[in-house]
Amino acid sequence: MALTILTGSANVPLAEAIARRLAVTLVPRTLERFPDGEMHVEVQKSVCGDDVYLVQPTGPPVDGNLLELMLLADACRRDGARRLTAVVPYLGYARHDRRARGREAIGARLVADLFQVGRFERTVAVDLHSPALEGFFAMPVEHLTAVPLLAEAARPFAGEQSVVVAPDLGAAKLADHYGQLLGSPVAVVHKTRLSGTEVSVHGVSGNVRGRRALVVDDMISTGATIDAAVRALGAAGALPGSTVVATHGLFCGSALERLAAAGIEQLIVSDSLPAPPRSPVPIQSVAIGGLLASAIERLHRGRSVADLLAHT
Ligand code: R5P
């Protein structure tokens, strides 16, 4: 069964990096829009009988990238792909994992069901918003983690006077993991989300006074969480000039300007999503193509990926 890598339009450089590592060429495909806005996809080389890995993070534009993934899966199935794996370095809708207020949809559950409809046998994801999301999928999910790679990139910024900070309670275990890898103490900011773009902070647990913060999170979207956390840390006596580490940098709207205004000196994110064209804050991009290629190669050969998985 041939190993085949195919990608949508969401992050072509990452798919190219994976293909290079695996010494294969990406399967050519066309992605078009009809005048009425509908998508049309076509795989231009036979994948009949192949072990196909479809690489597509479902970041912004989330709905378009998700549908493109499903259409490509359908095209592969109809062409006779033997096995189909979704490689989704960033999974959109992951934060919609429960009804927070009332008559809401649970987007994460619906998206997991869509993967089933797409007839994927398996999904590979990286640093999901919550580890429990794995249970939303009926198929096996290989939940990889980029945290060890990100922690190595952050090491030069983690001196003796550093403190690893979770910007909300949901990130506390993640911060603990970074704290262990970097040998740093951990603090937690207590956050309440007010809306999609605004949060409020009501306290900091842990000693941050006179320390430089290394704020860690799974993702940065509008920057509201990091902005509020860094301001609260300043008020609690932390030194100015925080470093922020996150697996997924979405940087929606004016997030980067907001982070610059908050005084963040360095951002470290993986390349799960395309890099912004420009940024007022220096961004260090950590490559995860090797991690994904290693997982794909092992899955193709029927070997364990246990040491690459997130255990949070
Ligand atoms: C929330 O629980 C997540 O871990 C992130 O902290 C949050 O989604 C980031 O979003 P934003 O940058 O818009 O605050």
Side-chain angles (χ1 to χ4, degrees), residues 52-66:
V52 179
Y53 294 81
L54 238 166
V55 180
Q56 177 90 326
T58 53
V62 180
D63 303 344
N65 284 333
L66 186 60

Side-chain angles (χ1 to χ4, degrees), residues 95 129 168 191 193 196 199 217-225:
R95 291 180 291 175
H129 174 61
D168 57 27
K191 163 189 116 176
R193 183 164 285 284
V199 303
D217 210 346
D218 60 317
M219 60 184 283
I220 302 170
S221 178
T222 66
T225 299

Side-chain angles (χ1 to χ4, degrees), residues 226-228 230-231 241-242 257-264:
I226 300 294
D227 180 11
V230 166
R231 290 179 196 279
S242 305
E257 287 69 26
R258 190 173 190 170
L259 298 175
I264 283 144

Side-chain angles (χ1 to χ4, degrees), residues 155-227:
R155 198 173 289 286
F157 302 93
E160 275 187 9
Q161 289 308 305
S162 295
V163 57
V164 172
V165 177
D168 57 27
L169 274 172
K173 275 194 166 179
L174 180 70
D176 204 44
H177 190 189
Y178 275 100
Q180 282 173 25
L181 290 169
L182 296 170
S184 298
V186 172
V188 179
V189 175
H190 298 269
K191 163 189 116 176
T192 303
R193 183 164 285 284
L194 306 174
S195 71
T197 53
E198 294 302 325
V199 303
S200 76
V201 162
H202 46 94
V204 177
S205 299
N207 182 18
V208 300
R209 184 164 296 282
R211 291 181 171 271
R212 201 171 301 280
L214 197 82
V215 185
V216 300
D217 210 346
D218 60 317
M219 60 184 283
I220 302 170
S221 178
T222 66
T225 299
I226 300 294
D227 180 11

Side-chain angles (χ1 to χ4, degrees), residues 32 39 42 62 75 77 99 108 124 155 157 171 179 201 206 214 218 221 224 248 268 278 305:
E32 297 167 329
M39 282 182 200
E42 189 173 355
V62 180
R77 277 292 179 216
R99 295 200 298 171
V124 175
R155 198 173 289 286
F157 302 93
V201 162
L214 197 82
D218 60 317
S221 178
H248 311 293
I268 301 173
R278 66 197 72 80
V305 293

Side-chain angles (χ1 to χ4, degrees), residues 100-162:
R101 278 193 297 272
R103 299 181 198 94
E104 299 169 275
I106 301 181
R109 174 62 210 226
L110 182 68
V111 166
D113 287 350
L114 282 178
F115 278 62
Q116 209 67 35
V117 172
R119 291 182 285 160
F120 290 102
E121 265 95 9
R122 187 180 294 271
T123 294
V124 175
V126 181
D127 291 332
L128 289 166
H129 174 61
S130 143
L133 280 167
E134 182 181 344
F136 284 36
F137 290 77
M139 72 190 71
V141 174
E142 308 300 349
H143 180 194
L144 311 182
T145 181
V147 168
L149 295 171
L150 290 160
E152 277 320 301
R155 198 173 289 286
F157 302 93
E160 275 187 9
Q161 289 308 305
S162 295

